[in-house]
Amino acid sequence: MNKQKRTIEELLEEALVTVEEHSEVPENWIYFYFTSILDISGGTQPPKSQFISEPKEGYIRLVQIRDFASNDYPTYIPFKKNLRVIEEDDILIARYGASVGRILTGLSGAYNVALAKVTYPKNIIDRKYLFWLLHTEHFQSPLRAISRSAQAGFNKNDLSYFKMPLPPLKEQKRIAEKVERLLGKIEEAKRLINYIPELSENFKKKIISAACEGDLTRDWREGQLDVEDAMKLLEKLFNKQEANGKVKKRNNSVEQEKVLHHIENWAITKIGLICEMQLGKMLSRKAYGENLIMLPYLRNANVQWGKVELSDVLEMGFKEEEIEKYSLKKGDLLVCEGGVVGRTAIWNEEITPCMYQKALHRLRCDKDLILPEWVYYFMLDSHNKGEFEKLTSQTTIRHLTQEKLKEVNIPVPPLKEQIEIVRRVERYISIVDELEIKYREIFNELLQAEKSILQKAFRGELETNDPSEDNAIELLKEVLQEQVK
């Protein structure tokens, strides 16, 4: 027995969303359920053994999600009749993983299972209208709900209750044209401000470089008559170290030991001579057990440029006599021994007590003579110029040994100039940081503007609707009539 055909009225009742169930739209618009007039088709997944990377006769391009971002790694497969094929104008939806819900178009070939092609009646739905509609929360919001629970992606039945707005065909075209025009202006605005992060980063590097080379305070030096020469500062430092028994007595004068800097009252010395250096404790099985005091300690991953990340601080055991040796004090510099070698941050006593692991060098300055900030600027400038890569041991994993770090030459300005350098650097960097904050605010505002345009467009609020045009229900009847035949 033949299955009884449904009437147009029955099909309309199934396809139409009642007024009570959807947002307010112009009177000549309707809402329909996605699968009443739209369909999706998943792709095919040939075995990887058939993949080749160059075009060849009898082969077809295999379109994958990654191909819409880059054409660097094209894949070709043998052409077979069972493959699902797309043209450049076809609209696809990403079905899996982090890309789920991405709306894609512009490529041709056979598409794989991670993509679904949207099939639609082209005589009643404008392609560009549908493309932008699928970007909106009408489609994306319920799709996210499905994706959270369906690990295997989505299928046609999952979309059956999605409610989609449909205006008259001419209005669809007007909406698509205005959306593209407005979003184009926003894209241009984003392009114009997208240079700011790179510009800011380059400016910061130049500020740090100018500070370390003496250019940042050149005008300041010209107006100073009573600034103590850095050689005398070093002599004070070394005398203090000798008096405290931290170094052996020097027979030679500072002037004979040190190399003069190109700036008259600056000097050059080695980091190991102006900073007390200590590697952290080796992590071992003995780090846990009886008679040990459990304390927080920092690892390489905790030290970022200019800051210490404390969201994942671990603990290990220390003997009582180890606590003084491996504890951190305010103003200590922490330098990565491996990973991003030379990466440095200043410890500001965010938690106390706090220790550190062998993956880190601790540099402790006499803050009355050498500012930790000055040493930090030098470390950052050296990193920016690639100097630390030259010092690392040539193994599979690079290491900046204590012996190599001690021998690094560092310029030393007079203490008053160090103070002025820190003041100026902090001021300039704060200005750049404020610019970056403003950039992020503007960028987020542009993203919100994009979202607002799409929301308004598909609620009929772009002032494009013509109420004299036929109700969109006539379009729906037209496509449903084909199902009655």
Side-chain angles (χ1 to χ4, degrees):
M1 189 188 324
N2 292 333
K3 186 177 179 181
Q4 187 175 2
K5 291 184 178 180
R6 290 174 295 174
T7 66
I8 186 69
E9 288 76 17
E10 290 173 329
L11 291 173
L12 270 174
E13 185 176 354
E14 289 182 7
L16 277 172
V17 180
T18 63
V19 174
E20 295 77 16
E21 294 181 288
H22 66 70
S23 303
E24 186 175 345
V25 289
E27 289 186 3
N28 57 351
W29 290 36
I30 61 169
Y31 265 79
F32 67 94
Y33 288 106
F34 189 98
T35 52
S36 63
I37 57 176
L38 302 175
D39 198 359
I40 60 167
S41 305
T44 49
Q45 191 64 43
K48 287 188 176 181
S49 58
Q50 296 181 358
F51 290 9
I52 62 173
S53 57
E54 298 290 338
K56 181 179 177 181
E57 187 174 351
Y59 278 67
I60 188 172
R61 172 80 179 267
L62 177 65
V63 177
Q64 304 173 77
I65 292 174
R66 70 180 188 186
D67 297 328
F68 291 92
S70 168
N71 197 37
D72 293 342
Y73 304 101
T75 299
Y76 300 87
I77 55 174
F79 178 78
K80 295 180 181 178
K81 290 184 178 179
N82 68 329
L83 292 175
R84 299 285 179 85
V85 178
I86 53 169
E87 302 296 332
E88 288 186 8
D89 281 348
D90 285 328
I91 299 171
L92 299 119
I93 309 168
R95 298 180 66 188
Y96 302 118
S99 297
V100 67
R102 282 182 60 193
I103 309 303
L104 306 162
T105 190
L107 295 177
S108 62
Y111 61 102
N112 72 355
V113 292
L115 293 164
K117 174 185 171 181
V118 182
T119 305
Y120 61 98
K122 298 181 180 179
N123 58 323
I124 74 162
I125 297 183
D126 179 72
R127 173 188 171 276
K128 290 183 178 180
Y129 173 86
L130 177 60
F131 177 78
W132 291 113
L133 174 59
L134 294 175
H135 282 80
T136 70
E137 291 301 289
H138 292 290
F139 182 77
Q140 295 294 327
S141 181
L143 186 64
R144 283 195 296 272
I146 290 172
S147 304
R148 284 193 290 268
S149 58
Q151 297 300 317
F154 59 86
N155 55 41
K156 178 180 176 179
N157 290 335
D158 293 323
L159 310 181
S160 60
Y161 66 91
F162 288 22
K163 303 166 187 176
M164 315 297 284
L166 183 70
L169 185 58
K170 288 182 180 179
E171 171 64 356
Q172 293 177 38
K173 295 179 184 295
R174 290 192 294 268
I175 287 171
E177 187 276 330
K178 190 162 187 178
V179 164
E180 292 194 340
R181 186 171 73 252
L182 293 175
L183 293 187
K185 290 180 179 179
I186 292 176
E187 280 302 309
E188 177 64 12
K190 287 197 292 187
R191 186 189 68 79
L192 290 173
I193 68 170
N194 270 344
Y195 71 92
I196 291 177
E198 183 180 355
L199 182 65
S200 298
E201 188 63 28
N202 290 337
F203 184 74
K204 287 179 181 179
K205 288 180 180 179
K206 288 181 179 180
I207 288 296
I208 297 299
S209 178
C212 293
E213 293 174 6
D215 295 331
L216 190 63
T217 43
R218 181 184 293 136
D219 63 320
W220 179 87
R221 284 193 301 275
E222 292 173 356
Q224 302 298 314
L225 302 175
D226 59 344
V227 176
E228 185 178 58
D229 192 285
M231 288 298 188
K232 291 182 180 179
L233 181 146
L234 291 177
E235 191 165 16
K236 284 182 183 179
L237 176 63
F238 298 150
N239 288 339
K240 194 172 180 179
Q241 290 174 347
E242 289 173 4
N244 293 335
K246 293 183 178 179
V247 296
K248 294 180 181 179
K249 186 172 179 62
R250 291 176 173 80
N251 294 321
N252 299 328
S253 69
V254 173
E255 284 78 3
Q256 289 172 323
E257 281 189 6
K258 305 302 150 207
V259 180
L260 285 172
H261 193 265
H262 71 279
I263 299 173
E264 186 177 349
N265 60 350
W266 286 33
I268 288 181
T269 189
K270 297 184 184 303
I271 286 183
L273 293 177
I274 63 169
C275 296
E276 177 190 330
M277 299 179 64
Q278 173 69 52
L279 270 172
K281 180 177 178 176
M282 173 74 77
L283 184 63
S284 67
R285 293 178 182 176
K286 294 181 180 179
Y288 306 92
E290 295 181 5
N291 302 319
L292 293 175
I293 302 170
M294 299 303 294
L295 293 170
Y297 74 96
L298 302 180
R299 300 162 289 144
N300 192 305
N302 297 117
V303 175
Q304 304 299 316
W305 278 111
K307 65 179 181 179
V308 179
E309 176 55 59
L310 298 173
S311 61
D312 61 344
V313 175
L314 305 179
E315 288 189 346
M316 70 171 163
F318 291 84
K319 297 176 183 177
E320 190 170 349
E321 59 269 25
E322 291 178 322
I323 294 177
E324 177 62 28
K325 180 179 180 180
Y326 296 117
S327 65
L328 295 170
K329 296 181 180 179
K330 186 176 177 63
D332 283 348
L333 292 118
L334 292 159
V335 181
C336 292
E337 185 261 356
V340 182
V341 292
R343 188 168 62 196
T344 305
I346 298 175
W347 178 247
N348 287 311
E349 226 169 33
E350 289 87 345
I351 53 176
T352 184
C354 189
M355 322 302 277
Y356 64 106
Q357 191 190 4
K358 191 181 178 182
L360 297 170
H361 299 282
R362 183 193 68 197
L363 278 60
R364 184 169 288 167
C365 306
D366 184 332
K367 289 181 283 187
D368 292 332
L369 298 168
I370 304 293
L371 298 183
E373 292 85 357
W374 169 253
V375 180
Y376 169 74
Y377 297 153
F378 170 77
M379 299 295 285
L380 180 54
D381 189 47
S382 297
H383 165 75
N384 291 340
K385 294 173 179 175
E387 297 297 329
F388 288 123
E389 291 296 320
K390 302 173 187 176
L391 298 175
T392 53
S393 56
Q394 298 300 308
T395 59
T396 305
I397 301 176
R398 291 181 171 271
H399 295 278
L400 178 61
T401 65
Q402 190 174 83
E403 291 70 25
K404 291 285 182 69
L405 184 55
K406 279 182 177 179
E407 295 300 310
V408 170
N409 286 326
I410 178 172
V412 179
L415 182 58
K416 281 188 176 181
E417 189 162 0
Q418 291 180 48
I419 294 169
E420 179 63 17
I421 288 170
V422 171
R423 188 188 71 80
R424 292 191 178 197
V425 169
E426 289 180 347
R427 180 161 61 90
Y428 290 136
I429 295 298
S430 69
I431 292 171
V432 178
D433 287 343
E434 288 175 7
L435 176 63
E436 290 176 345
I437 291 171
K438 194 64 181 176
Y439 158 77
R440 287 191 291 271
E441 289 174 353
I442 293 172
F443 194 84
N444 288 334
E445 287 173 3
L446 291 173
L447 294 179
Q448 287 302 313
E450 286 181 335
K451 187 176 180 180
S452 176
I453 287 168
L454 289 174
Q455 287 175 339
K456 289 182 177 181
F458 297 95
R459 292 198 302 252
E461 297 175 359
L462 288 185
E463 299 180 353
T464 55
N465 191 62
D466 182 353
S468 66
E469 291 175 348
D470 288 343
N471 193 294
I473 196 170
E474 299 303 323
L475 296 177
L476 186 59
K477 286 179 181 178
E478 185 178 333
V479 70
L480 294 178
Q481 192 65 48
E482 295 298 318
Q483 300 176 25
V484 175
K485 294 178 182 179

